């Protein structure tokens, strides 16, 4: 019997989510309290210390269900969007929940305390961040908290991109950052997750989870033929997006950037580094 995936299971030796009662044994079960990420992004870490490994980042407006808090300012819980579990700074969260109406559609925008671009920004909002908009003033959209963001940088939450690859292409040149998913830096699976989200396609956070959940499996030809734009190519611990039949777009730990390069070049390099051959191809579009 396989053990529950710690990344996706809100259970610790001392407690578990109430929803796991009867599934996992725990000394106590807790009904979580949903909160929302108010900072531009929130770091989700493996342990409640600032230098613990970064598991992922939560964007502004993401819901985080809190099951425990400590006196050092950490909240332990689970993200709603991709079910990832970990520790987040409590100061990044607020209980002021409201249903989002819009999302950020540009790589990065700013949240202001008033209707002026001369004011110091309160937060930097990355592509995919969610906001609740209640009105407009001049060039600004007004959030339900009375904050301001450039209206042209937003689209309704239900407005989906038709080609998620165009979103991924905007990140070319952005630094590689393990666990990241903002325009300041992101990793290979973060690039895939954020780009698919803009097209209304939900995806897990990590490469191995994406390989088993996103799109449909396609045969891998020895000569790498038959691929098309939007196909996801997986290696052990890595994923990239095809821009066309021969060009791969990916957040590369070799170049430490989001790059576009010939698939064959990337495949040869990855194989030479000992990561192995392509493990699968997943087709998003029929």
């Amino acid at each position: 019997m396989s053990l529950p995936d710690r990344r996706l299971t809100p259970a610790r030796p001392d407690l578990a989510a109430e929803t796991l009662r009867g599934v996992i044994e725990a000394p106590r079960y807790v009904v979580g309290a949903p909160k929302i990420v108010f900072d531009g992004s929130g770091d989700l870490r493996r342990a409640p210390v600032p230098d613990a490994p970064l598991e992922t980042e939560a964007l502004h407006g993401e819901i985080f269900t809190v099951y425990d808090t400590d006196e050092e300012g950490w909240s332990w819980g689970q993200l709603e969007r991709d079910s990832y579990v970990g520790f987040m700074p409590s100061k990044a969260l607020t209980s002021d929940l409201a249903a989002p109406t819009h999302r950020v559609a540009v790589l990065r925008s700013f949240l202001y305390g008033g209707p002026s671009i001369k004011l110091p920004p309160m937060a930097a909002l990355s592509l995919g961040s969610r906001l609740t908009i209640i009105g407009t003033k001049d060039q600004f959209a007004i959030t339900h908290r009375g904050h301001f963001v450039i209206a042209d940088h937003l689209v309704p939450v239900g407005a989906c991109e038709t080609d998620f690859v165009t979103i991924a292409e905007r990140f070319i040149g952005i630094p590689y950052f393990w666990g990241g998913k903002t325009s300041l830096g992101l990793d290979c699976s973060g690039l895939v997750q954020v780009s698919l989200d803009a097209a209304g396609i939900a995806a897990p956070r990590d490469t191995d989870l994406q390989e088993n959940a996103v799109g449909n499996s396609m045969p891998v030809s020895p000569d790498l033929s038959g691929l098309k734009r939007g196909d996801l190519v997986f290696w052990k611990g890595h994923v990239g997006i095809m821009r066309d039949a021969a060009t791969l777009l990916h957040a590369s730990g070799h170049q430490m950037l989001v790059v576009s390069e010939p698939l064959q070049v990337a495949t040869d390099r990855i194989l030479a580094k000992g990561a192995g051959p392509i493990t699968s191809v997943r087709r998003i579009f029929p």
Side-chain angles (χ1 to χ4, degrees):
M1 182 177 180
S2 60
L3 295 174
D5 191 329
R6 66 158 185 85
R7 297 169 295 178
L8 308 176
T9 308
R12 308 186 320 207
D14 60 326
L15 64 88
E18 177 62 37
T19 54
L20 295 176
R21 186 184 292 271
V23 178
I24 293 176
E25 287 193 17
R28 63 189 178 101
Y29 298 91
V30 179
V31 175
K35 296 196 174 183
I36 198 165
V37 177
F38 175 73
D39 283 1
S41 62
D43 294 342
L44 193 72
R45 298 193 178 275
R46 192 173 301 176
V49 289
D51 58 353
L54 180 66
E55 302 279 42
T56 186
E57 291 179 306
L59 301 181
H60 180 93
E62 285 199 53
I63 293 176
F64 183 67
T65 300
V66 176
Y67 294 102
D68 188 42
T69 58
D70 65 21
E71 295 180 354
E72 301 300 319
W74 292 92
S75 291
W76 179 78
Q78 185 173 35
L79 287 169
E80 181 180 272
R81 188 175 300 177
D82 57 21
S83 300
Y84 224 119
V85 174
F87 293 88
M88 188 177 296
S90 299
K91 65 181 181 180
L93 303 168
T94 176
S95 298
D96 180 21
L97 274 70
T101 61
H102 290 73
R103 62 177 175 83
V104 175
V106 295
L107 277 188
R108 186 163 292 267
S109 189
F110 293 110
L111 189 68
Y112 297 96
S116 172
I117 61 173
K118 296 181 179 179
L119 293 172
M122 301 174 63
L125 307 177
S126 287
L127 187 145
S129 299
R130 265 56 168 184
L131 300 128
T132 304
I133 301 302
I134 60 171
T136 59
K137 180 178 176 61
D138 300 325
Q139 69 187 114
F140 294 94
I142 307 170
T143 75
H144 74 291
R145 298 187 183 97
H147 302 145
F148 296 78
V149 63
I150 300 298
D152 286 347
H153 292 179
L154 307 177
V155 295
V157 290
C160 298
E161 299 287 340
T162 57
D163 179 9
F164 79 96
V165 185
T166 62
I167 302 300
E169 288 169 337
R170 297 183 193 175
F171 287 90
I172 292 175
I174 298 298
Y176 179 94
F177 178 52
W178 178 271
K181 61 177 193 179
T182 77
S183 61
L184 289 180
L186 72 178
D187 60 19
C188 63
S189 55
L191 175 65
V192 168
Q193 187 188 50
V194 169
S195 301
L196 287 174
D197 176 71
I201 302 171
R205 178 59 179 89
D206 290 345
T207 306
D208 62 320
L209 301 172
Q210 293 175 353
E211 189 172 14
N212 291 320
V214 179
N216 297 305
S217 180
M218 301 294 296
V220 181
S221 171
D223 62 359
L224 303 181
S225 63
L227 299 175
K228 70 175 188 176
R229 183 176 175 88
D231 286 348
L232 301 182
V233 182
F234 289 89
W235 294 260
K236 184 178 180 180
H238 190 59
V239 61
I241 305 166
M242 297 303 296
R243 297 183 75 185
D244 53 40
T247 309
L248 184 76
L249 174 64
H250 61 141
S252 170
H254 175 73
Q255 290 99 331
M256 292 302 292
L257 294 168
V258 176
V259 298
S260 178
E261 61 180 336
L263 173 63
Q264 189 66 64
V265 170
T267 299
D268 292 345
R269 183 179 63 246
I270 291 169
L271 187 61
K273 287 194 168 190
I278 291 172
T279 56
S280 70
V281 172
R282 307 286 295 188
R283 180 152 291 172
I284 306 299
F285 303 123

